[in-house]
Amino acid sequence: MRRLHLYLLVFLLVITGLGIFAWKSQVLDFPILPSQRAESWRFEIRADLELDGEPAIFSTYVPQTQGLFGITDETYLSSGFGLTRTTDDLGNELAVWSVRDRSGPATLIYQADIYRFSSAMRSDNPDDLNTVLEIGNEELGATKRVALEQFVDSLEQGSADTETFLAQLINRLNAEDPQDYEELLLGNEGPSLLRKSEVAQRALRMYNIPARAVHGVELGDIDREAELYHWIEILLDGDWSAYSLEGPDTPLPENLLPLWRGVTPQMQISGAELSNLTLSFAEQSRPRISLANLNTELEDSFVGKLTFYQLPVDTQAVYRLLMLVPLGALVIVILRQVVGLKTFGTFMPVLIALAFRETELVTGLLMFSGLVAVGLFFRFYFERLKLLFVPRLSAVLTVVILIMAVASTALETVRLGMGLSIALFPIVILAMTIERMSIVWEEYGPFESIKEGLGSGLAAVIAYFVMNIWEVEHLLFTFPELLLVILALMLLFGRYTGYRLIELYRFRSLMKRKSS
C-alpha cells in the first residue's frame, strides 16, 4: 500500500510538472533553448506636416495586437501636440494628434515593437452580423450604386454559394475585359489593390456576406518606405478568412501586418498640410522570452506567471543559482544510492560545485584542497588541547575564515584577481567537512578519511559539470515546475534497494566463483 501511494505521488508530480512545462512552451511560447529568438520588428509611422497657425488635427491608423502579431513598447514622438487614442466602429485603433496654435513644419512619429506569435490569437468574431454589414458601408453616388447592384447581380447569377461568389468576384476584379459597370467601379486605368479591396467589401456586403477590406504592410528584413498591401477578409464558419485580390490562386504574402480595416483612408488631417507620410520597419533580434511574457500578459495566464522574469534583476540572479541546488542534490543522490560513492554529506558537494561555477574548476579544486588541508592541521592541533565539540568546531570555523581572509588579501595584493573567488566558498560547510573528515580519520583511519574526501571532491566535480550546462540552467529558471519532476525522481531513488555499482566491483571475485 505504501509503495502504491508512493508511485501515485510520483505520477502526480511528473504529470503536473510536465503538463505545466508543455503548456508554457507550446501555448505561451516560452523558449526551451536559451538561444531561441522571436520574430520581431521595429515599426514606424512618420508624418511631416506644414502648419499655418490654425487649430490642426492629424489622425492615422496604428497596429494593434491581433492575429499573429503582438504590439509592445509603443512610443509617440511629437513636440507641443496633444495625443489621444480612439477606436472606430470596426475596432481599428487610431492615434490622434492635435494642436491649437502653431506654425511651420512639424513631425509626428509613432513607433512600436512587433512580435509574431507561433499561432494566431482568437479572432474577433462579431456578435451582431447585421451591425457588421452596415458599418463602413458608406453611401455611394446614384450612378455607382446602380453599377454596384449590376455587378453583384451578375456575380450572383454565376455562383451557388459564398465560396463560388467570392471566386467569381476575384476573377471579375482581375478580368482583362471588364464590363462598363466594372470600369465605373474600378477605374479604367488599371485598378489598384486598394480600389479592388473597396469594391470587394461593398459587393460582398451587398450580397449579405460579412466582409472587410484590410490594409497593412508585409514585414520583412528592412524597408524605409514600405508600401501598403490590400486584401479582403470574409466571415466563414465563425472565423475571419483572408484572401488575396491579385488572383483566385494567388496566396497572400507572409507576415502581413494589418493596420486598419474598412474603406476609410489611412489618415485624416485638418488645419494643416501633409508633406510626407512614410511607413518603415526593420527586423530585430529579440529573446523569445519577451514574446512569452507578452503572450502571458495578453492571455492573463496564471501558469505563464510561474517564472522569475517578473522579479528584479538581482533577485533573478539569486534564483538562477538556487534552482540548480535540487538538480545538484539529485546528482549526489544518484552517485550515493546507485553508484555507491561515499561523500561527506549531501549538501557539501552541491555547494562546493556552486562555488566552482564562480572560481572555475581547476582553481576551485586547488582552493578547496588547500583550505581543507590547512583546516585539518588546525583541527588536530585543537584536539590536542582537549576542547569540547562545540568550542572546537567554532574554533575551526574561525580558523577557516582567517585563512580565507589572509588568502584573499594576499591574492589581491599580488593582483591575481582571485580574492573574491575564495570568499565564495561556503564557510560553514567547509568547517563541518573538516570536522567530519577528522572524526573519520580518528575512527577509521586516514585511508577511509581521504577516500571519502576524494569522493566528495569527485561528486562536486560531477555536479559542477551538470549544473554548469547553460541549457539546463535556462530550463530550470524558465520552467521551475520541472523541480516537481526532480522531486519525483528523488522519491523513486529513495526506495532503491538494489546493488550499487561499486559493490558489483567489490564482489567481482564472488561473482566469478558463482559463474564457474
Side-chain angles (χ1 to χ4, degrees), residues 47-57 77-82 97-109 270-273:
D48 296 318
L49 309 179
E50 287 292 337
L51 305 173
D52 56 6
E54 298 293 330
I57 299 177
L77 302 177
S78 60
S79 178
F81 280 77
W97 286 272
S98 58
V99 66
R100 179 171 295 276
D101 183 10
R102 181 171 173 178
S103 300
T107 298
L108 308 177
I109 298 177
S270 63
E273 292 185 2

PDB file of all heavy atoms in Angstrom, residues 47-57 77-82 97-109 270-273:
ATOM      1  N   ALA A  47       4.930  61.226 -40.046  1.00  0.00           N
ATOM      2  CA  ALA A  47       4.149  62.210 -40.800  1.00  0.00           C
ATOM      3  C   ALA A  47       4.812  63.577 -40.667  1.00  0.00           C
ATOM      4  O   ALA A  47       5.054  64.053 -39.551  1.00  0.00           O
ATOM      5  CB  ALA A  47       2.717  62.263 -40.289  1.00  0.00           C
ATOM      6  N   ASP A  48       5.112  64.197 -41.797  1.00  0.00           N
ATOM      7  CA  ASP A  48       5.668  65.558 -41.829  1.00  0.00           C
ATOM      8  C   ASP A  48       4.560  66.521 -42.236  1.00  0.00           C
ATOM      9  O   ASP A  48       3.949  66.381 -43.311  1.00  0.00           O
ATOM     10  CB  ASP A  48       6.832  65.644 -42.815  1.00  0.00           C
ATOM     11  CG  ASP A  48       7.991  64.765 -42.394  1.00  0.00           C
ATOM     12  OD1 ASP A  48       8.315  64.741 -41.197  1.00  0.00           O
ATOM     13  OD2 ASP A  48       8.578  64.086 -43.269  1.00  0.00           O
ATOM     14  N   LEU A  49       4.290  67.499 -41.367  1.00  0.00           N
ATOM     15  CA  LEU A  49       3.194  68.442 -41.579  1.00  0.00           C
ATOM     16  C   LEU A  49       3.718  69.861 -41.766  1.00  0.00           C
ATOM     17  O   LEU A  49       4.814  70.201 -41.317  1.00  0.00           O
ATOM     18  CB  LEU A  49       2.228  68.411 -40.388  1.00  0.00           C
ATOM     19  CG  LEU A  49       1.689  67.051 -39.928  1.00  0.00           C
ATOM     20  CD1 LEU A  49       0.774  67.238 -38.729  1.00  0.00           C
ATOM     21  CD2 LEU A  49       0.971  66.348 -41.056  1.00  0.00           C
ATOM     22  N   GLU A  50       2.884  70.673 -42.425  1.00  0.00           N
ATOM     23  CA  GLU A  50       3.117  72.109 -42.520  1.00  0.00           C
ATOM     24  C   GLU A  50       1.924  72.810 -41.876  1.00  0.00           C
ATOM     25  O   GLU A  50       0.788  72.681 -42.356  1.00  0.00           O
ATOM     26  CB  GLU A  50       3.276  72.546 -43.982  1.00  0.00           C
ATOM     27  CG  GLU A  50       4.581  72.134 -44.624  1.00  0.00           C
ATOM     28  CD  GLU A  50       5.779  72.857 -44.036  1.00  0.00           C
ATOM     29  OE1 GLU A  50       5.578  73.963 -43.463  1.00  0.00           O
ATOM     30  OE2 GLU A  50       6.907  72.342 -44.130  1.00  0.00           O
ATOM     31  N   LEU A  51       2.154  73.544 -40.792  1.00  0.00           N
ATOM     32  CA  LEU A  51       1.096  74.197 -40.038  1.00  0.00           C
ATOM     33  C   LEU A  51       1.077  75.689 -40.351  1.00  0.00           C
ATOM     34  O   LEU A  51       2.132  76.306 -40.593  1.00  0.00           O
ATOM     35  CB  LEU A  51       1.304  73.980 -38.537  1.00  0.00           C
ATOM     36  CG  LEU A  51       1.433  72.508 -38.092  1.00  0.00           C
ATOM     37  CD1 LEU A  51       1.807  72.434 -36.620  1.00  0.00           C
ATOM     38  CD2 LEU A  51       0.135  71.772 -38.336  1.00  0.00           C
ATOM     39  N   ASP A  52      -0.141  76.271 -40.317  1.00  0.00           N
ATOM     40  CA  ASP A  52      -0.278  77.695 -40.650  1.00  0.00           C
ATOM     41  C   ASP A  52      -0.878  78.507 -39.515  1.00  0.00           C
ATOM     42  O   ASP A  52      -1.473  79.572 -39.740  1.00  0.00           O
ATOM     43  CB  ASP A  52      -1.131  77.857 -41.912  1.00  0.00           C
ATOM     44  CG  ASP A  52      -2.493  77.186 -41.777  1.00  0.00           C
ATOM     45  OD1 ASP A  52      -2.795  76.699 -40.675  1.00  0.00           O
ATOM     46  OD2 ASP A  52      -3.241  77.151 -42.775  1.00  0.00           O
ATOM     47  N   GLY A  53      -0.767  78.010 -38.296  1.00  0.00           N
ATOM     48  CA  GLY A  53      -1.251  78.763 -37.152  1.00  0.00           C
ATOM     49  C   GLY A  53      -2.685  78.478 -36.771  1.00  0.00           C
ATOM     50  O   GLY A  53      -3.167  79.014 -35.775  1.00  0.00           O
ATOM     51  N   GLU A  54      -3.388  77.672 -37.543  1.00  0.00           N
ATOM     52  CA  GLU A  54      -4.766  77.312 -37.227  1.00  0.00           C
ATOM     53  C   GLU A  54      -4.798  76.036 -36.385  1.00  0.00           C
ATOM     54  O   GLU A  54      -3.845  75.252 -36.379  1.00  0.00           O
ATOM     55  CB  GLU A  54      -5.549  77.087 -38.528  1.00  0.00           C
ATOM     56  CG  GLU A  54      -5.640  78.315 -39.418  1.00  0.00           C
ATOM     57  CD  GLU A  54      -6.474  79.414 -38.787  1.00  0.00           C
ATOM     58  OE1 GLU A  54      -7.410  79.078 -38.018  1.00  0.00           O
ATOM     59  OE2 GLU A  54      -6.192  80.601 -39.047  1.00  0.00           O
ATOM     60  N   PRO A  55      -5.896  75.799 -35.646  1.00  0.00           N
ATOM     61  CA  PRO A  55      -6.029  74.513 -34.941  1.00  0.00           C
ATOM     62  C   PRO A  55      -5.944  73.351 -35.924  1.00  0.00           C
ATOM     63  O   PRO A  55      -6.600  73.364 -36.977  1.00  0.00           O
ATOM     64  CB  PRO A  55      -7.423  74.608 -34.294  1.00  0.00           C
ATOM     65  CG  PRO A  55      -7.667  76.074 -34.159  1.00  0.00           C
ATOM     66  CD  PRO A  55      -7.008  76.728 -35.361  1.00  0.00           C
ATOM     67  N   ALA A  56      -5.108  72.370 -35.601  1.00  0.00           N
ATOM     68  CA  ALA A  56      -4.843  71.270 -36.529  1.00  0.00           C
ATOM     69  C   ALA A  56      -5.063  69.934 -35.823  1.00  0.00           C
ATOM     70  O   ALA A  56      -4.780  69.791 -34.626  1.00  0.00           O
ATOM     71  CB  ALA A  56      -3.421  71.343 -37.076  1.00  0.00           C
ATOM     72  N   ILE A  57      -5.589  68.997 -36.586  1.00  0.00           N
ATOM     73  CA  ILE A  57      -5.794  67.630 -36.100  1.00  0.00           C
ATOM     74  C   ILE A  57      -5.281  66.668 -37.154  1.00  0.00           C
ATOM     75  O   ILE A  57      -5.604  66.820 -38.353  1.00  0.00           O
ATOM     76  CB  ILE A  57      -7.287  67.347 -35.815  1.00  0.00           C
ATOM     77  CG1 ILE A  57      -7.823  68.282 -34.741  1.00  0.00           C
ATOM     78  CG2 ILE A  57      -7.474  65.891 -35.375  1.00  0.00           C
ATOM     79  CD1 ILE A  57      -9.309  68.099 -34.466  1.00  0.00           C
ATOM     80  N   LEU A  77       6.075  60.303 -30.641  1.00  0.00           N
ATOM     81  CA  LEU A  77       7.028  61.406 -30.606  1.00  0.00           C
ATOM     82  C   LEU A  77       6.400  62.616 -31.292  1.00  0.00           C
ATOM     83  O   LEU A  77       6.035  62.564 -32.470  1.00  0.00           O
ATOM     84  CB  LEU A  77       8.337  61.015 -31.306  1.00  0.00           C
ATOM     85  CG  LEU A  77       9.056  59.785 -30.740  1.00  0.00           C
ATOM     86  CD1 LEU A  77      10.296  59.470 -31.569  1.00  0.00           C
ATOM     87  CD2 LEU A  77       9.426  60.002 -29.290  1.00  0.00           C
ATOM     88  N   SER A  78       6.257  63.696 -30.547  1.00  0.00           N
ATOM     89  CA  SER A  78       5.744  64.955 -31.086  1.00  0.00           C
ATOM     90  C   SER A  78       6.104  66.051 -30.113  1.00  0.00           C
ATOM     91  O   SER A  78       6.330  65.799 -28.916  1.00  0.00           O
ATOM     92  CB  SER A  78       4.224  64.900 -31.290  1.00  0.00           C
ATOM     93  OG  SER A  78       3.578  64.651 -30.062  1.00  0.00           O
ATOM     94  N   SER A  79       6.142  67.265 -30.598  1.00  0.00           N
ATOM     95  CA  SER A  79       6.520  68.398 -29.764  1.00  0.00           C
ATOM     96  C   SER A  79       5.367  69.389 -29.737  1.00  0.00           C
ATOM     97  O   SER A  79       5.020  69.986 -30.759  1.00  0.00           O
ATOM     98  CB  SER A  79       7.783  69.066 -30.308  1.00  0.00           C
ATOM     99  OG  SER A  79       8.118  70.194 -29.534  1.00  0.00           O
ATOM    100  N   GLY A  80       4.757  69.539 -28.562  1.00  0.00           N
ATOM    101  CA  GLY A  80       3.692  70.510 -28.410  1.00  0.00           C
ATOM    102  C   GLY A  80       2.325  70.012 -28.830  1.00  0.00           C
ATOM    103  O   GLY A  80       1.352  70.772 -28.758  1.00  0.00           O
ATOM    104  N   PHE A  81       2.203  68.771 -29.272  1.00  0.00           N
ATOM    105  CA  PHE A  81       0.927  68.226 -29.705  1.00  0.00           C
ATOM    106  C   PHE A  81       0.283  67.436 -28.563  1.00  0.00           C
ATOM    107  O   PHE A  81       0.959  66.775 -27.775  1.00  0.00           O
ATOM    108  CB  PHE A  81       1.104  67.291 -30.903  1.00  0.00           C
ATOM    109  CG  PHE A  81       1.249  68.001 -32.224  1.00  0.00           C
ATOM    110  CD1 PHE A  81       2.450  68.603 -32.583  1.00  0.00           C
ATOM    111  CD2 PHE A  81       0.193  68.079 -33.112  1.00  0.00           C
ATOM    112  CE1 PHE A  81       2.591  69.257 -33.788  1.00  0.00           C
ATOM    113  CE2 PHE A  81       0.323  68.727 -34.324  1.00  0.00           C
ATOM    114  CZ  PHE A  81       1.531  69.331 -34.664  1.00  0.00           C
ATOM    115  N   GLY A  82      -1.039  67.476 -28.511  1.00  0.00           N
ATOM    116  CA  GLY A  82      -1.767  66.586 -27.641  1.00  0.00           C
ATOM    117  C   GLY A  82      -2.028  65.273 -28.356  1.00  0.00           C
ATOM    118  O   GLY A  82      -2.107  65.226 -29.597  1.00  0.00           O
ATOM    119  N   TRP A  97      -3.354  63.265 -33.105  1.00  0.00           N
ATOM    120  CA  TRP A  97      -2.563  64.387 -32.601  1.00  0.00           C
ATOM    121  C   TRP A  97      -3.332  65.685 -32.856  1.00  0.00           C
ATOM    122  O   TRP A  97      -3.974  65.844 -33.908  1.00  0.00           O
ATOM    123  CB  TRP A  97      -1.212  64.476 -33.309  1.00  0.00           C
ATOM    124  CG  TRP A  97      -0.204  63.441 -32.912  1.00  0.00           C
ATOM    125  CD1 TRP A  97       0.685  63.532 -31.887  1.00  0.00           C
ATOM    126  CD2 TRP A  97       0.040  62.179 -33.540  1.00  0.00           C
ATOM    127  NE1 TRP A  97       1.471  62.408 -31.836  1.00  0.00           N
ATOM    128  CE2 TRP A  97       1.106  61.552 -32.853  1.00  0.00           C
ATOM    129  CE3 TRP A  97      -0.519  61.522 -34.633  1.00  0.00           C
ATOM    130  CZ2 TRP A  97       1.605  60.313 -33.194  1.00  0.00           C
ATOM    131  CZ3 TRP A  97      -0.026  60.279 -34.989  1.00  0.00           C
ATOM    132  CH2 TRP A  97       1.023  59.674 -34.275  1.00  0.00           C
ATOM    133  N   SER A  98      -3.234  66.616 -31.940  1.00  0.00           N
ATOM    134  CA  SER A  98      -3.932  67.900 -32.107  1.00  0.00           C
ATOM    135  C   SER A  98      -3.098  69.021 -31.501  1.00  0.00           C
ATOM    136  O   SER A  98      -2.342  68.820 -30.542  1.00  0.00           O
ATOM    137  CB  SER A  98      -5.316  67.846 -31.449  1.00  0.00           C
ATOM    138  OG  SER A  98      -5.207  67.542 -30.075  1.00  0.00           O
ATOM    139  N   VAL A  99      -3.245  70.214 -32.095  1.00  0.00           N
ATOM    140  CA  VAL A  99      -2.552  71.398 -31.595  1.00  0.00           C
ATOM    141  C   VAL A  99      -3.426  72.610 -31.909  1.00  0.00           C
ATOM    142  O   VAL A  99      -4.134  72.628 -32.925  1.00  0.00           O
ATOM    143  CB  VAL A  99      -1.148  71.535 -32.239  1.00  0.00           C
ATOM    144  CG1 VAL A  99      -1.241  71.804 -33.725  1.00  0.00           C
ATOM    145  CG2 VAL A  99      -0.327  72.603 -31.532  1.00  0.00           C
ATOM    146  N   ARG A 100      -3.421  73.603 -31.038  1.00  0.00           N
ATOM    147  CA  ARG A 100      -4.318  74.746 -31.234  1.00  0.00           C
ATOM    148  C   ARG A 100      -3.684  75.847 -32.076  1.00  0.00           C
ATOM    149  O   ARG A 100      -4.314  76.379 -32.991  1.00  0.00           O
ATOM    150  CB  ARG A 100      -4.729  75.307 -29.871  1.00  0.00           C
ATOM    151  CG  ARG A 100      -5.651  76.528 -29.953  1.00  0.00           C
ATOM    152  CD  ARG A 100      -6.186  76.897 -28.597  1.00  0.00           C
ATOM    153  NE  ARG A 100      -7.038  75.843 -28.080  1.00  0.00           N
ATOM    154  CZ  ARG A 100      -8.323  75.708 -28.376  1.00  0.00           C
ATOM    155  NH1 ARG A 100      -8.903  76.565 -29.205  1.00  0.00           N
ATOM    156  NH2 ARG A 100      -9.031  74.727 -27.865  1.00  0.00           N
ATOM    157  N   ASP A 101      -2.465  76.216 -31.790  1.00  0.00           N
ATOM    158  CA  ASP A 101      -1.887  77.394 -32.451  1.00  0.00           C
ATOM    159  C   ASP A 101      -0.400  77.145 -32.676  1.00  0.00           C
ATOM    160  O   ASP A 101       0.405  77.243 -31.742  1.00  0.00           O
ATOM    161  CB  ASP A 101      -2.101  78.644 -31.594  1.00  0.00           C
ATOM    162  CG  ASP A 101      -1.575  79.897 -32.270  1.00  0.00           C
ATOM    163  OD1 ASP A 101      -1.233  79.816 -33.470  1.00  0.00           O
ATOM    164  OD2 ASP A 101      -1.497  80.946 -31.601  1.00  0.00           O
ATOM    165  N   ARG A 102      -0.081  76.812 -33.911  1.00  0.00           N
ATOM    166  CA  ARG A 102       1.327  76.556 -34.221  1.00  0.00           C
ATOM    167  C   ARG A 102       1.544  76.743 -35.711  1.00  0.00           C
ATOM    168  O   ARG A 102       0.687  76.387 -36.536  1.00  0.00           O
ATOM    169  CB  ARG A 102       1.736  75.147 -33.810  1.00  0.00           C
ATOM    170  CG  ARG A 102       3.200  74.831 -34.078  1.00  0.00           C
ATOM    171  CD  ARG A 102       3.613  73.522 -33.475  1.00  0.00           C
ATOM    172  NE  ARG A 102       4.952  73.152 -33.875  1.00  0.00           N
ATOM    173  CZ  ARG A 102       5.593  72.069 -33.463  1.00  0.00           C
ATOM    174  NH1 ARG A 102       4.987  71.244 -32.609  1.00  0.00           N
ATOM    175  NH2 ARG A 102       6.816  71.795 -33.866  1.00  0.00           N
ATOM    176  N   SER A 103       2.713  77.274 -36.061  1.00  0.00           N
ATOM    177  CA  SER A 103       3.068  77.499 -37.464  1.00  0.00           C
ATOM    178  C   SER A 103       4.396  76.823 -37.766  1.00  0.00           C
ATOM    179  O   SER A 103       5.219  76.574 -36.875  1.00  0.00           O
ATOM    180  CB  SER A 103       3.176  79.000 -37.759  1.00  0.00           C
ATOM    181  OG  SER A 103       1.948  79.646 -37.496  1.00  0.00           O
ATOM    182  N   GLY A 104       4.559  76.519 -39.068  1.00  0.00           N
ATOM    183  CA  GLY A 104       5.808  75.933 -39.508  1.00  0.00           C
ATOM    184  C   GLY A 104       5.750  74.420 -39.607  1.00  0.00           C
ATOM    185  O   GLY A 104       4.697  73.796 -39.443  1.00  0.00           O
ATOM    186  N   PRO A 105       6.889  73.802 -39.866  1.00  0.00           N
ATOM    187  CA  PRO A 105       6.909  72.349 -40.031  1.00  0.00           C
ATOM    188  C   PRO A 105       6.802  71.618 -38.688  1.00  0.00           C
ATOM    189  O   PRO A 105       7.196  72.145 -37.645  1.00  0.00           O
ATOM    190  CB  PRO A 105       8.270  72.095 -40.685  1.00  0.00           C
ATOM    191  CG  PRO A 105       9.130  73.230 -40.222  1.00  0.00           C
ATOM    192  CD  PRO A 105       8.209  74.412 -40.110  1.00  0.00           C
ATOM    193  N   ALA A 106       6.276  70.430 -38.731  1.00  0.00           N
ATOM    194  CA  ALA A 106       6.171  69.577 -37.543  1.00  0.00           C
ATOM    195  C   ALA A 106       6.252  68.121 -37.992  1.00  0.00           C
ATOM    196  O   ALA A 106       5.797  67.772 -39.091  1.00  0.00           O
ATOM    197  CB  ALA A 106       4.872  69.835 -36.789  1.00  0.00           C
ATOM    198  N   THR A 107       6.838  67.302 -37.142  1.00  0.00           N
ATOM    199  CA  THR A 107       6.992  65.873 -37.440  1.00  0.00           C
ATOM    200  C   THR A 107       6.345  65.068 -36.324  1.00  0.00           C
ATOM    201  O   THR A 107       6.624  65.282 -35.134  1.00  0.00           O
ATOM    202  CB  THR A 107       8.476  65.487 -37.566  1.00  0.00           C
ATOM    203  OG1 THR A 107       9.065  66.213 -38.649  1.00  0.00           O
ATOM    204  CG2 THR A 107       8.609  63.986 -37.846  1.00  0.00           C
ATOM    205  N   LEU A 108       5.466  64.141 -36.717  1.00  0.00           N
ATOM    206  CA  LEU A 108       4.797  63.243 -35.780  1.00  0.00           C
ATOM    207  C   LEU A 108       5.261  61.820 -36.062  1.00  0.00           C
ATOM    208  O   LEU A 108       5.271  61.390 -37.224  1.00  0.00           O
ATOM    209  CB  LEU A 108       3.275  63.333 -35.937  1.00  0.00           C
ATOM    210  CG  LEU A 108       2.674  64.746 -35.879  1.00  0.00           C
ATOM    211  CD1 LEU A 108       1.175  64.687 -36.123  1.00  0.00           C
ATOM    212  CD2 LEU A 108       2.972  65.398 -34.537  1.00  0.00           C
ATOM    213  N   ILE A 109       5.631  61.101 -35.006  1.00  0.00           N
ATOM    214  CA  ILE A 109       6.203  59.756 -35.179  1.00  0.00           C
ATOM    215  C   ILE A 109       5.520  58.793 -34.223  1.00  0.00           C
ATOM    216  O   ILE A 109       5.336  59.088 -33.032  1.00  0.00           O
ATOM    217  CB  ILE A 109       7.730  59.751 -34.924  1.00  0.00           C
ATOM    218  CG1 ILE A 109       8.452  60.649 -35.941  1.00  0.00           C
ATOM    219  CG2 ILE A 109       8.285  58.324 -34.990  1.00  0.00           C
ATOM    220  CD1 ILE A 109       9.943  60.750 -35.715  1.00  0.00           C
ATOM    221  N   SER A 270      -6.744  67.953 -40.768  1.00  0.00           N
ATOM    222  CA  SER A 270      -7.456  69.228 -40.913  1.00  0.00           C
ATOM    223  C   SER A 270      -6.615  70.317 -40.272  1.00  0.00           C
ATOM    224  O   SER A 270      -5.943  70.099 -39.255  1.00  0.00           O
ATOM    225  CB  SER A 270      -8.831  69.162 -40.237  1.00  0.00           C
ATOM    226  OG  SER A 270      -8.703  68.960 -38.839  1.00  0.00           O
ATOM    227  N   GLY A 271      -6.622  71.527 -40.892  1.00  0.00           N
ATOM    228  CA  GLY A 271      -5.877  72.659 -40.358  1.00  0.00           C
ATOM    229  C   GLY A 271      -4.396  72.602 -40.654  1.00  0.00           C
ATOM    230  O   GLY A 271      -3.631  73.388 -40.081  1.00  0.00           O
ATOM    231  N   ALA A 272      -3.963  71.703 -41.511  1.00  0.00           N
ATOM    232  CA  ALA A 272      -2.546  71.590 -41.859  1.00  0.00           C
ATOM    233  C   ALA A 272      -2.428  70.872 -43.189  1.00  0.00           C
ATOM    234  O   ALA A 272      -3.407  70.305 -43.710  1.00  0.00           O
ATOM    235  CB  ALA A 272      -1.766  70.857 -40.777  1.00  0.00           C
ATOM    236  N   GLU A 273      -1.227  70.886 -43.735  1.00  0.00           N
ATOM    237  CA  GLU A 273      -0.948  70.174 -44.975  1.00  0.00           C
ATOM    238  C   GLU A 273       0.061  69.065 -44.706  1.00  0.00           C
ATOM    239  O   GLU A 273       1.024  69.251 -43.960  1.00  0.00           O
ATOM    240  CB  GLU A 273      -0.386  71.129 -46.049  1.00  0.00           C
ATOM    241  CG  GLU A 273      -1.382  72.150 -46.549  1.00  0.00           C
ATOM    242  CD  GLU A 273      -0.821  72.984 -47.685  1.00  0.00           C
ATOM    243  OE1 GLU A 273       0.349  72.710 -48.091  1.00  0.00           O
ATOM    244  OE2 GLU A 273      -1.506  73.905 -48.150  1.00  0.00           O
TER     245      GLU A 273
END
